[in-house]
Structures are given as C-alpha cells and as structure tokens.
Amino acid sequence: MSGFNNTEIKDLKQKFQGRKIAVVGDMMLDGYYWGDVKRISPEAPVPVVEIEKEFFRFGGAANVLLNIKGLGGNPLPVGLIGEDQEGNIFKDLLAESGISEAGLITTASRPTTVKIRVIADKQHIVRIDKEVKDDISGELEDRVVSNITKVIDEVDAVLLQDYNKGVLTESSISSIINIANKKNKLITVDPKFLNFFNYKNVTVFKPNKKETEDAFNMRIVTDEDINNAGSLLLEKLNAEYVLLTLSEKGIAMFDKNKNISRIPTKARKVADVSGAGDTVIATLTMAMASGIEVSNAAYLANYAGGLVCEEMGIAPIIIDQLIDELLDDIK
C-alpha cells in the first residue's frame, strides 16, 4: 500500500539528508560480555564465565540517535549520563558516530544507565542493570528544558523517547511540548507506562499494543478493540495522530477526523525484535520532518522496523538498505 513510486523512493536519501531531530529521553548503554564456561565456582553453585570479548552499544533513546544518523539525519541528543566510566564510553560512541554531545548533561547524582548482558557458549547467562529510575531533580529538569530551548529554532522535529528511567518527568514533558508547539515544530512520542497520559497536544503518539493495554487496563484482541483503543487515545491526548503498533499485525493509524487506516507488516524472517520500536519512531520522525505525508511516513517506518527485525541484536536502519529493499519490492 506504499504511495511511493520509483523516483520518490530514490529521492528519500536527499530528502532525509541533514534533517535535525532533537531526541529527548533516557540515554542508555547496552554492554555485552562474551565468554566460555568451563567450570563451576567453588564459592557457589554458579558457572564461571571466562570473558573473551566485551563491547558496548547504544541503547534506549541513544539507539534512536543511531537510527536517525543511519537515515542521513543529524540527531541532537538531550538527556543525562553519569560522571562514570560508562559515561565516558557513551561519549566515545557519540564521537565515533559523529553525533554532537552538546545537549547532554553529565551529572554525579546518577549513574549512566547500563544494561550488561553476560553470554557464554551462545547462552544468555545473566543481565546486570545499573540505573536509577527515580525522576530527576528539579534542577536537572530545568537544564533539560533549557537545552531544548537552545536548539528549538534549528531543529526540524522533537522526538520524545521515554523508557521510564526518570529523565522525562511530568513537568519536563509539559514544558518541552509547549516550547515545541509555540515554534510549530513536529513532536513525536514513543511512550512508556508511567508518563503515558502526560503527552498531550503532540503531533504523533506512537505506543505499542502492550503499553496501551497496560495504560487502559484492557485487552486488545479484535479489530474493534484496536479501534476503541485508538479513539480513546486521541480523545485523552488531543494528538493529531495516534499510531498504534501491533507487532506482526502492522500499524493502526488514527487521526482527529476519526479516520482509521491499517498498515500491514510485510512478511519477513524475524531474527530479533529488539530495537524495532526505536527504528519505527526514528524513521517516522525523519519522514514527516522531510515533508512526507503521515500515512506514507508510517508505511516507511513500519517497513524499516521490519527490516531491522531480520538482524540479530539491535541494529539501526541504514538509508541505502531501506531504499534498496523498497525498490526491490516495486519491481
């Protein structure tokens, strides 16, 4: 159901190039420790993992940065990292990716959020989370809002990526949305449970089915359930559009004029769904910031999300990959 022809697909790279997107939210690191297990510890009945390699990748809202960069955009991160080793690793990854750290706040009051996975003999042994999930202080809230104010005139869109790690608070959400609306900026949201109904008056609100079920304390099974949930979200949030992602069932899109449309998922060999939601919101925001109409932007976002599901682990979408796959589909 793509509204794109061959020429329009080829033009996507030029349309996307250099679009500036402020990404506000929970910047995180994913750490991986790989090794072998050859013995059980004499101290406790647990395996001893002999580490062979370790590496770190962007997680959370930082993965959205990488997707925007991969699409040819210029992401501007606004969030927090700690004054710790992981914070330094995060800055190194930004530098390697060519992403500015100007909007980041480094603080001694909270650690950098890190999810460390220990993998041995191709088995995930344990995950270790290092994080503080309480709301940030009022002083840090003010600094986050100030950093958005500094860049609002130069960006094409503001993307709010909430992982409920405390960076996006009720107060800062309201302030950031007001600032962006006063400047007539595109505002897109990928929510989580805690702040779900605080994202009022945005351009696009993009929850998934599970988040919506939790927020309304309801099950979403039938098409009627989907339509009721989308209509309720529009009513409560006064969003211009609600895009409800439905995993293998694609996306349901709702607008203020009570129009409802469905974007099916292209059948793919799914290897790993991790990070697909980050790809969807990044692609959607880039497309709409480039002037692409919302239904076609949602089609692109859904398509890109499906492509990254074919990769093992979290992998960002790359614009050339997206264009090549789209062109193959319309041959």
Side-chain angles (χ1 to χ4, degrees):
M1 63 170 288
S2 168
F4 296 99
N5 59 36
N6 191 291
T7 301
E8 288 169 333
I9 292 170
K10 290 179 179 178
D11 286 344
L12 287 175
K13 190 168 186 176
Q14 183 178 353
K15 276 180 173 289
F16 283 9
Q17 190 64 39
R19 293 291 174 186
K20 289 187 177 180
I21 313 294
V23 179
V24 193
D26 301 296
M27 303 295 163
M28 296 157 59
L29 275 179
D30 288 333
Y32 297 85
Y33 289 81
W34 292 74
D36 287 327
V37 173
K38 297 177 181 176
R39 61 193 176 98
I40 300 299
S41 171
E43 302 164 0
V46 295
V48 174
V49 181
E50 298 179 8
I51 299 299
E52 295 178 350
K53 62 180 177 178
E54 61 183 271
F55 57 91
F56 289 87
R57 291 177 176 167
F58 283 137
N63 188 44
V64 176
L65 303 175
L66 211 55
N67 276 276
I68 290 170
K69 191 72 177 179
L71 289 166
N74 182 9
L76 305 177
V78 179
L80 304 178
I81 56 174
E83 289 182 2
D84 49 27
Q85 180 182 0
E86 291 81 8
N88 292 331
I89 293 170
F90 192 95
K91 289 182 179 181
D92 288 343
L93 288 176
L94 285 179
E96 289 172 15
S97 303
I99 299 172
S100 170
E101 63 176 74
L104 279 182
I105 299 162
T106 304
T107 176
S109 64
R110 308 165 68 95
T112 303
T113 300
V114 186
K115 313 286 185 179
I116 295 175
R117 297 158 178 85
V118 180
I119 301 166
D121 301 324
K122 299 181 181 179
Q123 296 294 317
H124 190 158
I125 303 296
V126 67
R127 195 179 92 177
I128 304 162
D129 291 0
K130 177 183 173 184
E131 62 186 10
V132 171
K133 294 188 281 188
D134 298 337
D135 283 353
I136 59 176
S137 67
E139 184 252 336
L140 288 173
E141 280 181 347
D142 291 343
R143 291 178 65 186
V144 168
V145 172
S146 174
N147 284 354
I148 277 292
T149 303
K150 289 174 185 175
V151 300
I152 194 65
D153 287 325
E154 65 181 273
V155 301
D156 297 295
V158 175
L159 191 164
L160 302 173
Q161 182 74 12
D162 196 347
Y163 276 85
N164 287 164
K165 306 302 180 188
V167 171
L168 285 163
T169 66
E170 184 174 354
S171 174
S172 66
I173 290 167
S174 175
S175 296
I176 291 165
I177 291 172
N178 286 338
I179 290 165
N181 276 328
K182 284 178 182 177
K183 297 289 186 176
N184 294 314
K185 299 293 183 178
L186 171 72
I187 310 166
T188 58
V189 178
D190 197 354
K192 280 290 183 289
F193 178 74
L194 292 181
N195 297 314
F196 201 82
F197 293 117
N198 293 326
Y199 291 101
K200 293 178 177 164
N201 306 312
V202 302
T203 314
V204 179
F205 185 75
K206 187 210 74 67
N208 62 34
K209 182 168 81 77
K210 175 66 164 57
E211 291 157 354
T212 305
E213 287 177 329
D214 290 345
F216 286 122
N217 193 26
M218 65 183 285
R219 292 277 292 140
I220 298 174
V221 180
T222 66
D223 284 346
E224 184 179 1
D225 294 336
I226 292 168
N227 293 345
N228 287 339
S231 299
L232 278 171
L233 287 170
L234 278 174
E235 181 183 334
K236 280 186 168 291
L237 296 171
N238 194 38
E240 290 186 38
Y241 303 96
V242 166
L243 267 62
L244 180 55
T245 59
L246 304 165
S247 189
E248 71 280 357
K249 292 184 178 179
I251 293 176
M253 187 171 74
F254 307 82
D255 69 26
K256 279 188 168 183
N257 296 322
K258 302 186 184 303
N259 296 312
I260 302 172
S261 55
R262 295 288 287 272
I263 301 166
T265 297
K266 178 180 169 61
R268 295 190 180 279
K269 185 178 179 181
V270 175
D272 192 341
V273 299
S274 302
D278 299 334
T279 299
V280 169
I281 194 67
T283 308
L284 175 79
T285 306
M286 281 286 288
M288 292 185 71
S290 303
I292 293 173
E293 185 268 333
V294 64
S295 61
N296 279 337
Y299 173 85
L300 284 177
N302 191 45
Y303 197 100
L307 284 178
V308 299
C309 286
E310 295 180 342
E311 306 287 339
M312 279 302 297
I314 295 176
I317 191 67
I318 305 298
I319 186 61
D320 290 335
Q321 173 197 17
L322 179 60
I323 289 172
D324 288 346
E325 292 284 345
L326 287 165
L327 290 173
D328 281 346
D329 261 7
I330 64 170
K331 282 180 180 178

